Amino acid sequence: QSTWGRTVPFEMAPKPIKRLRLSEHVTSCLEKNNILTAESLVTRNDVELMDALSLCKPEMQREMREVWQRMSPAPQTAWELLESEVSEGYVLTGLPQLDQLLNGGIKTGTITEIAGPAGCGKTQLMMWIAATTVTHHKSHSVIYFDTEGSFSAHRLREFVLAQCQKNQVSTENIEQVVAHALLRVHVQYIPSVSDLSTFIQSHDVMTLMGRESVRLVVIDSMAKVTLTIDDPRQSIVWLGNIAAVLKKTSCLFNCAVMVTNHISSFGGAHDGSFVFKEDFQKVGEGQEGILFTASTDIAPQLGRGWAHFVNSRWLLSRIDETAQIANHGEFSGATLVGKSRLTVAKSPLSGVGTVCVQIASDLSVITNG
């Protein structure tokens, strides 16, 4: 008693039976048996469909093959997919070396995670990328979910102003341009995982995504909201559901999703600086990339399950006088004060690698180190 496909393209799932252009007899029989959508149809087994359609098995299978052909998206060639990627584009980070490493920027339709210890600059980098998004294109918007209360409108304004100055916006119009950019960053405080799950799939957010041409969705941080889950064993369920909604939304609205994650310690206190115990090549082959400091082993929070939900993982760490730098290319044996090191540890669209990020002393701009 097989079913006719346990999955159906999400854009087709709620489609009414009447819109599948089936014969009047088949449509009438299905509606009489309360089979009203594409999803409810393809999840029925052979016996249920034979009974509903009053057909023998060969005739029922013939009808279902026609249904499935109408519902299944047409296959695409690799060339068509490449053209689609080029036209849909990327979200620029505002850091040329990082955009080059990522082969153009953050790919839309994907989830990117930035993991790192407290104080390494995760929120600053998120706000910088948000500022880049709304200044690079006058019609693009950002939705920023703040779970820690760390979002600073004043800091974002500094970043937008720095971007405008970088783009040589005239001094006469710069305040107007900055105000217009800030109006396109929509901030929502999210205190719990249930609120996040509800809000990201709410009608208000979906309407905003379509109306405001949202190009970037930020969740800062994902690790914080999981602390509100009473039963830790349910964390992976919550995270899986949220990741599914985010992935679906990013594909539907052609935007990028970025989330921050904390670092867990498996030993004593650490100073916030870390490096890979494994070399970059091994990380690129899909290994976890164990992190370490002189006194403790640390790794991104949310567990191995969550690591499979994100498309790309960046690791951000402070590089100061106490940091131990492993043999990683141009940073071998280096001691870099006041900088952070960003490592692209996992990415299906680019190779792994490292860039240095520095917040300028005037607290106005992030630059490649």
Side-chain angles (χ1 to χ4, degrees):
Q1 297 183 359
S2 62
T3 59
W4 282 82
R6 296 186 179 276
T7 60
V8 61
F10 66 84
E11 67 273 14
M12 292 290 297
K15 192 169 186 176
I17 289 296
K18 289 182 178 180
R19 294 179 57 190
L20 294 180
R21 296 174 297 172
L22 304 176
S23 67
E24 292 185 7
H25 171 71
V26 171
T27 300
S28 175
C29 290
L30 293 174
E31 289 179 340
K32 287 179 181 179
N33 287 271
N34 201 33
I35 302 175
L36 305 177
T37 66
E39 185 174 29
S40 64
L41 173 60
V42 300
T43 54
R44 299 301 177 98
N45 62 39
D46 289 353
V47 173
E48 291 172 326
L49 290 173
M50 289 166 60
D51 182 61
L53 298 174
S54 299
L55 296 174
C56 63
K57 189 170 183 178
E59 293 175 336
M60 179 275 297
Q61 289 176 333
R62 186 166 55 250
E63 290 287 350
M64 286 304 300
R65 277 193 292 270
E66 182 179 349
V67 169
W68 193 249
Q69 288 173 358
R70 293 179 184 274
M71 290 172 46
S72 300
Q76 292 181 286
T77 65
W79 177 255
E80 290 172 330
L81 290 173
L82 179 61
E83 287 187 322
S84 175
E85 287 185 4
V86 172
S87 63
E88 291 173 358
Y90 297 81
V91 174
L92 297 177
T93 66
L95 302 171
Q97 291 180 20
L98 180 57
D99 288 331
Q100 183 179 6
L101 178 62
L102 297 172
N103 291 326
I106 307 164
K107 182 71 179 70
T108 57
T110 64
I111 302 175
T112 298
E113 174 197 66
I114 302 179
C120 69
K122 298 187 298 294
T123 297
Q124 300 289 311
L125 183 56
M126 284 293 196
M127 288 195 290
W128 174 258
I129 296 175
T132 302
T133 301
V134 294
T135 55
H136 181 70
H137 200 292
K138 294 181 179 180
S139 66
H140 289 167
S141 299
V142 173
I143 295 180
Y144 198 113
F145 295 111
D146 178 18
T147 69
E148 296 184 317
S150 58
F151 177 84
S152 170
H154 177 73
R155 189 72 171 116
L156 180 65
R157 182 187 180 280
E158 290 181 336
F159 283 153
V160 171
L161 183 60
Q163 290 273 12
C164 291
Q165 293 171 343
K166 178 182 177 182
N167 296 332
Q168 298 181 340
V169 177
S170 66
T171 54
E172 295 178 358
N173 301 326
I174 195 166
E175 287 299 330
Q176 182 180 355
V177 173
V178 169
H180 180 62
L182 294 177
L183 285 172
R184 286 179 282 118
V185 180
H186 306 272
V187 184
Q188 176 69 41
Y189 176 67
I190 301 291
S192 69
V193 70
S194 58
D195 290 327
L196 178 61
S197 178
T198 300
F199 205 79
I200 61 176
Q201 51 190 325
S202 66
H203 175 72
D204 290 343
V205 168
M206 293 297 105
T207 301
L208 180 65
M209 294 283 292
R211 185 182 68 236
E212 298 293 330
S213 186
V214 172
R215 192 67 166 172
L216 176 67
V217 176
V218 173
I219 301 176
D220 183 25
S221 78
M222 184 66 76
K224 177 64 182 296
V225 292
T226 60
L227 299 178
T228 63
I229 301 175
D230 295 329
D231 184 357
R233 293 172 297 181
Q234 292 299 313
S235 294
I236 192 63
V237 177
W238 279 104
L239 290 172
N241 291 336
I242 290 172
V245 173
L246 292 174
K247 181 65 176 178
K248 172 177 148 182
T249 301
S250 67
C251 292
L252 186 61
F253 292 100
N254 190 32
C255 65
V257 176
M258 299 195 71
V259 303
T260 62
N261 190 3
H262 294 169
I263 289 293
S264 292
S265 174
F266 299 99
H270 61 83
D271 62 5
S273 302
F274 61 86
V275 294
F276 283 115
K277 186 179 294 183
E278 305 292 342
D279 60 48
F280 286 145
Q281 187 60 39
K282 289 186 178 179
V283 172
E285 292 172 356
Q287 296 189 16
E288 287 299 312
I290 305 302
L291 308 172
F292 75 101
T293 62
S295 60
T296 185
D297 286 343
I298 60 178
Q301 276 186 343
L302 302 182
R304 292 176 181 267
W306 168 254
H308 296 292
F309 295 144
V310 299
N311 301 101
S312 300
R313 167 172 278 177
W314 303 353
L315 300 171
L316 191 64
S317 64
R318 293 194 303 270
I319 300 178
D320 52 34
E321 292 179 342
T322 61
Q324 296 184 357
I325 310 300
N327 294 322
H328 292 158
E330 63 181 295
F331 300 106
S332 176
T335 299
L336 301 173
V337 180
K339 294 185 179 182
S340 292
R341 182 181 57 205
L342 191 151
T343 299
V344 178
K346 169 189 173 184
S347 174
L349 302 174
S350 65
V352 297
T354 299
V355 297
C356 273
V357 177
Q358 183 178 28
I359 302 177
S361 57
D362 62 359
L363 297 181
S364 63
V365 62
I366 292 183
T367 61
N368 289 112

